[in-house]
């Protein structure tokens, strides 16, 4: 069981968490805190994963905790084992783990309250009524968290272009902390997911960060501008392929670029011929030096034509042909040395 605080870092589009281990009475154990973070896009994925199956599990957790509230059924090791199993199931979903932690925190608070009663009162029917109230508190908390997540999903569906009820964060339990030499306001997530949901939604709505949809996977992502593709690895790979494809098409349609590409392709053929002949390194260096001079002349000439928007004419074609012939003569001279 943990005490959890969060901070929304809009600059890096991250949610930063501080976790403090606590005992069953809610007291912090030692002074060792743990840090973790998730991206804004992770929030979308994790919220999407909290579907009907998850809330069925959350309801099951609630019912099991209610069972352990009954006296005569206080199998605490079994209770902790079941909670550990659910944490393991949702280990990659920070928001789901927070909801489980909230229920567990409420369970121990209700249990300790019940155990604080005088043994004489515990034996009365009045005490059974308090057990029912404790169970009802767990049920209400569980339902409240589900409604909050459902509301958050509505905000996402509307791309946060809607009214955000910031008043829901009024009793969020603000806790100021200092980290990395900077003053940052962290908020407490002990009793409800509401502070995170409403404050996060309000921050997005009042920033230049918007929701966009990836044209490859169809998932939404946060950014300050439409990048077309989201940041997932497979989508970025498709983006790179698309970029290279467009670059090739652009080069094909660029008459100036085609002149240079055609010359370079011709020179590569000559160099490959010499490489297969296993010529001396000094001869290859002479070939490359000559090639650099010819390439510079062609690049400068083509660049001048491009800047002046001058159509390709016979003079430019003749200059390129002269340099091709020059490289062929260099290649022939080197080749003759080996025969």
């Amino acid at each position: 069981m943990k005490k959890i605080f969060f901070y929304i870092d809009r600059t890096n589009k991250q949610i930063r968490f501080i976790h403090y281990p606590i005992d069953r009475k809610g007291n912090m154990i030692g002074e060792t805190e743990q840090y973790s973070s998730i991206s804004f896009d992770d929030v979308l994925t994790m919220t999407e994963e909290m579907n009907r199956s998850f809330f069925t599990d959350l309801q099951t957790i609630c019912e099991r905790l209610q069972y352990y509230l009954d006296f005569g059924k206080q199998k605490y090791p079994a209770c902790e084992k079941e909670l550990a199993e659910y944490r393991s199931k949702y280990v990659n979903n920070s928001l789901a783990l927070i909801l489980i932690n909230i229920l567990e925190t409420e369970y121990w608070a209700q249990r300790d309250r019940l155990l604080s009663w005088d043994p004489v009162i515990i034996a009365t029917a009045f005490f059974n009524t308090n057990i029912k109230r404790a169970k009802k508190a767990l049920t209400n908390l569980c339902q409240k968290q589900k409604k909050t997540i459902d509301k958050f999903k509505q905000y996402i569906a509307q791309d946060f272009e809607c009214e955000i009820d910031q008043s829901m964060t009024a009793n969020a339990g603000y806790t100021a902390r200092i980290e990395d030499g900077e003053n940052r306001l962290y908020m407490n997530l002990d009793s409800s997911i509401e502070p995170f949901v409403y404050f996060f939604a309000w921050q997005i709505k009042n920033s230049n960060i918007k929701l966009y949809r990836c044209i490859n996977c169809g998932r939404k992502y946060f950014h300050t501008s439409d990048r077309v593709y989201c940041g997932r690895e497979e989508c970025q790979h498709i983006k790179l392929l698309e970029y290279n494809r467009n670059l090739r098409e652009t080069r094909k349609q660029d008459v100036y670029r085609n002149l240079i590409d055609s010359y370079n392709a011709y020179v590569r053929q000559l160099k490959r011929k010499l490489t297969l002949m296993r010529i001396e390194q000094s001869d290859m260096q002479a070939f490359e030096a000559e090639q650099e001079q010819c390439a510079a002349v062609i690049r400068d000439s083509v660049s001048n034509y491009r800047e002046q928007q001058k159509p390709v004419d016979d003079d430019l074609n003749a200059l390129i042909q002269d340099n091709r012939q020059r490289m062929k003569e260099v290649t022939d001279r080197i080749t003759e040395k080996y025969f």
Side-chain angles (χ1 to χ4, degrees), residues 13 39-45 48 156 159-160 200 204 208-232 235-236 239:
K13 296 195 290 295
S39 70
F40 281 14
D41 288 350
D42 289 336
V43 172
L44 297 177
T45 302
E48 182 181 326
I156 294 173
D159 297 341
F160 296 96
F200 178 82
I204 294 298
N208 63 342
I209 300 173
K210 304 297 179 184
L211 265 182
Y212 300 96
R213 188 177 294 277
C214 176
I215 65 171
N216 182 56
C217 67
R219 295 180 178 178
K220 292 184 176 183
Y221 64 92
F222 287 105
H223 208 266
T224 53
S225 61
D226 190 354
R227 298 183 301 169
V228 184
Y229 293 91
C230 69
R232 294 176 177 84
C235 297
Q236 287 299 304
K239 178 181 179 180

Side-chain angles (χ1 to χ4, degrees), residues 15 51 80 121 124 172 223 230 239 244 258 290 330:
I15 313 297
N51 50 24
E80 293 174 347
I121 299 179
T124 66
H223 208 266
C230 69
K239 178 181 179 180
N244 290 334
N258 287 341
E290 195 73 22
V330 171

Side-chain angles (χ1 to χ4, degrees), residues 116-319:
S116 67
W117 287 75
D118 188 278
V120 175
I121 299 179
I122 289 177
T124 66
F126 172 75
F127 187 72
N128 290 332
T129 301
N130 280 273
I131 292 180
K132 292 179 181 179
R133 289 176 180 172
K135 291 181 178 181
K136 183 65 174 176
L138 280 172
T139 298
N140 291 341
L141 180 61
C142 183
Q143 293 174 349
K144 182 179 180 181
Q145 304 315 300
K146 183 180 184 304
K147 289 180 181 179
T148 302
I149 295 299
D150 287 342
K151 187 69 174 179
F152 190 47
K153 289 182 178 181
Q154 292 178 21
Y155 290 155
I156 294 173
Q158 298 175 55
D159 297 341
F160 296 96
E161 298 296 332
C162 54
E163 291 299 321
I164 307 297
D165 187 3
Q166 193 195 5
S167 64
M168 298 301 294
T169 63
N171 298 316
Y174 291 90
T175 303
R177 294 192 55 78
I178 297 177
E179 179 196 0
D180 299 335
E182 297 181 21
N183 292 321
R184 290 174 174 157
L185 187 64
Y186 280 77
M187 296 169 65
N188 197 328
L189 281 174
D190 281 354
S191 58
S192 177
I193 196 74
E194 281 186 342
F196 170 79
V197 165
Y198 291 104
F199 193 63
F200 178 82
W202 184 83
Q203 288 271 34
I204 294 298
K205 181 177 174 60
N206 292 276
S207 72
N208 63 342
I209 300 173
K210 304 297 179 184
L211 265 182
Y212 300 96
R213 188 177 294 277
C214 176
I215 65 171
N216 182 56
C217 67
R219 295 180 178 178
K220 292 184 176 183
Y221 64 92
F222 287 105
H223 208 266
T224 53
S225 61
D226 190 354
R227 298 183 301 169
V228 184
Y229 293 91
C230 69
R232 294 176 177 84
E233 183 177 350
E234 60 271 21
C235 297
Q236 287 299 304
H237 177 66
I238 296 297
K239 178 181 179 180
L240 180 60
L241 294 178
E242 182 70 18
Y243 172 79
N244 290 334
R245 183 162 51 249
N246 292 336
L247 185 62
R248 288 193 297 270
E249 289 299 322
T250 301
R251 290 173 73 102
K252 287 180 181 178
Q253 298 171 14
D254 187 340
V255 293
Y256 302 109
R257 184 73 242 180
N258 287 341
L259 293 173
I260 295 176
D261 288 345
S262 177
Y263 168 77
N264 290 337
Y266 177 73
V267 172
R268 283 196 297 270
Q269 291 178 4
L270 297 178
K271 185 174 182 178
R272 184 172 185 275
K273 176 182 177 181
L274 297 178
T275 301
L276 292 175
M277 291 176 57
R278 301 179 184 277
I279 63 174
E280 296 291 336
Q281 184 177 1
S282 59
D283 290 329
M284 182 60 77
Q285 289 174 345
F287 174 87
E288 291 175 347
E290 195 73 22
Q291 188 273 333
E292 289 176 4
Q293 294 180 19
C294 292
V297 170
I298 293 174
R299 282 197 304 270
D300 290 344
S301 299
V302 171
S303 179
N304 289 333
Y305 270 72
R306 184 192 294 276
E307 290 174 359
Q308 300 174 24
Q309 291 295 301
K310 186 177 179 180
V312 176
D313 54 21
D314 292 342
D315 290 340
L316 182 59
N317 284 325
L319 181 142

